[in-house]
Amino acid sequence: MTRGFRREFLRATGASLLAFGSGCTSLRANGGDTRWTVTLDGYPARASAVTDTGFVVATTLEPNGELGFVRFSGEYEPLADLSRITAPPILVDNRAFVEADGSIHEVPVNGDGPTELRTDYLAFGRYSAVPVDSSRLYGVAYSEEIEKYAAFSVNLDTERIEWAYPFGHIRSSVDTDGERVFAASPTGTIRAYDADEGKTLWKQKTGRNAALTHHDGAVFVASMDGVTALNSTDGSVRWQTESDWIGSVGTLPEANDSSVYAILSLYSNHSRSRFAMETYIVACNRHTGEERWRKRAKFGTPLSVTEKEVAIESVERVETTQEESTPENSLSIFGIGGAQKEQYALNERATMKPILRDDVVIVGDDTSIVAYDR
């Protein structure tokens, strides 16, 4: 389906996408029936936040990307055509910000046309920037002025860069508590910057392939050394998981009031003649680091966490013959205690963070977005 045809088709059908979606998917779910499906031209990557009526999504990894708005009814509205979108969009109030080919664009969700911020060339890496107070974006991006990757602050009112300092590279992640900006480099260096001025407040070293998140006064880092909790004020170590295994990190960690969740691939030669790799979601007590539970997961799976639930792409081996088996990928929803609540079969790999609501779960499956009744 071409971009132009899809756009006209969606405008013409509107809410009737409900019927169209339920008849064009072969996805199965033991948690409910398919409510609707929207098919895009590229892999969907949604903004981490949602509005009361829907969510902003970008088609990524395509030369000609698109930013659009998906309503919880299943209606899709294109917002802007943009080239080379690599990171998920950022939602600030009713404005979406997306980096495309080195330029940051502001796109109102109400359908007004996009405007380009005056930040010169600033290309996000693998992860999006994070907003605070509807006035700033913080992130790590390649700056043409510095000619390096840099941690930065963009003022959304003046549409200009407030500060930028060389740090990290394409796989660097950031988060903020409003006063400090935390950045993790895959080399294992964690830095905290003053949010207003950009000066370095503290630096800490962790394991390689580090990725972080902030929650309630602590910075949680997933790395090849496991999971580490740092005090957000001074970077001191609160706790660190201990393991004889070597782990690689597949996605950003997430946290809620009870636990920290990380996707780790664990290599072990325990009672084996050679190294083997298995990928898990590992849930650790947020206060002590004690492991609470682990489940098999897909490497790099988008991870969604609420105060009550966790959603990941899980992997199970299904016997096809007496001697062979095949992996079966599913979207699995667990309670915070580790009990599986629901499971939804996927035709292809998950391509965006799932959305968990009381009555519906919304997943990105290859180039489609699918909503299931719960």
Side-chain angles (χ1 to χ4, degrees):
M1 183 180 292
T2 64
R3 183 181 302 278
F5 177 80
R6 185 191 72 226
R7 182 174 297 154
E8 293 305 318
F9 174 80
L10 292 170
R11 284 176 180 164
T13 57
S16 66
L17 267 173
L18 207 68
F20 171 79
S22 62
C24 70
T25 178
S26 59
L27 293 176
R28 305 175 307 279
N30 63 14
D33 296 326
T34 303
R35 180 178 294 189
W36 49 257
T37 299
V38 174
T39 300
L40 304 174
D41 289 341
Y43 299 115
R46 73 170 179 88
S48 58
V50 300
T51 71
D52 292 337
T53 57
F55 56 97
V56 177
V57 64
T59 56
T60 61
L61 305 180
E62 292 290 327
N64 297 313
E66 183 174 273
L67 196 73
F69 187 77
V70 181
R71 299 187 183 280
F72 290 126
S73 64
E75 184 179 358
Y76 176 83
E77 178 186 359
L79 298 177
D81 290 323
L82 299 167
S83 60
R84 298 186 185 179
I85 302 173
T86 57
I90 304 114
L91 186 61
V92 180
D93 298 327
N94 285 315
R95 300 174 294 164
F97 294 87
V98 61
E99 181 268 313
D101 204 18
S103 298
I104 302 176
H105 300 266
E106 176 183 344
V107 185
V109 176
N110 65 10
D112 290 345
T115 58
E116 187 174 324
L117 273 60
R118 296 170 291 180
T119 55
D120 297 322
Y121 187 88
L122 197 67
F124 294 169
R126 177 176 178 179
Y127 305 113
S128 291
V130 294
V132 64
D133 296 334
S134 304
S135 61
R136 287 176 174 153
L137 290 180
Y138 301 111
V140 172
Y142 183 84
S143 169
E144 194 168 61
E145 181 179 353
I146 297 178
E147 296 185 344
K148 292 180 179 180
Y149 275 89
F152 69 86
S153 168
V154 169
N155 187 306
L156 298 180
D157 296 325
T158 64
E159 300 182 354
R160 295 187 181 277
I161 296 175
E162 291 186 312
W163 54 261
Y165 295 100
F167 179 81
H169 59 69
I170 192 170
R171 295 177 63 90
S172 299
S173 59
V174 295
D175 207 347
T176 181
D177 63 1
E179 298 180 9
R180 293 164 285 263
V181 179
F182 312 104
S185 168
T187 62
T189 300
I190 313 298
R191 285 184 183 270
Y193 300 89
D194 179 271
D196 292 328
E197 301 177 1
K199 67 179 180 180
T200 298
L201 299 176
W202 54 259
K203 183 173 73 171
Q204 182 61 267
K205 191 70 175 179
T206 62
R208 296 182 64 83
N209 289 347
L212 62 73
T213 189
H214 170 269
H215 183 81
D216 193 23
V219 178
F220 299 103
V221 183
S223 73
M224 291 186 70
D225 287 349
V227 182
T228 305
L230 306 176
N231 284 308
S232 60
T233 54
D234 60 9
S236 59
V237 176
R238 291 187 177 184
W239 53 259
Q240 184 172 3
T241 58
E242 296 182 0
S243 175
D244 294 331
W245 295 12
I246 302 172
S248 64
V249 180
T251 192
L252 292 177
E254 295 277 354
N256 57 22
D257 287 344
S258 63
S259 301
V260 183
Y261 306 88
I263 304 294
L264 300 175
S265 291
L266 305 174
Y267 300 80
S268 173
N269 63 351
H270 291 190
S271 305
R272 302 174 189 261
S273 59
R274 60 184 178 85
F275 281 95
M277 181 184 78
E278 295 179 335
T279 301
Y280 296 90
I281 177 174
V282 180
C284 300
N285 184 296
R286 189 175 73 85
H287 302 286
T288 66
E290 181 182 2
E291 183 175 320
R292 303 185 66 192
W293 52 267
R294 69 173 62 182
K295 306 287 183 181
R296 288 291 301 274
K298 185 74 174 289
F299 182 83
T301 178
L303 173 62
S304 286
V305 172
T306 70
E307 287 303 321
K308 297 181 179 180
E309 296 177 320
V310 181
I312 60 162
E313 182 179 0
S314 58
V315 180
E316 297 178 358
R317 303 296 301 188
V318 177
E319 298 294 333
T320 56
T321 66
Q322 289 184 348
E323 298 181 355
E324 296 183 358
S325 63
T326 184
E328 184 175 273
N329 297 337
S330 304
L331 181 80
S332 294
I333 300 177
F334 300 96
I336 58 174
Q340 188 176 68
K341 301 174 65 175
E342 300 164 26
Q343 189 175 57
Y344 304 84
L346 300 174
N347 285 331
E348 302 289 344
R349 67 183 180 92
T351 49
M352 75 174 200
K353 293 183 67 170
I355 296 174
L356 304 176
R357 293 169 64 87
D358 291 339
D359 63 333
V360 67
V361 56
I362 302 173
V363 301
D365 179 16
D366 194 48
T367 58
S368 296
I369 300 173
V370 185
Y372 291 111
D373 290 319
R374 301 189 71 180

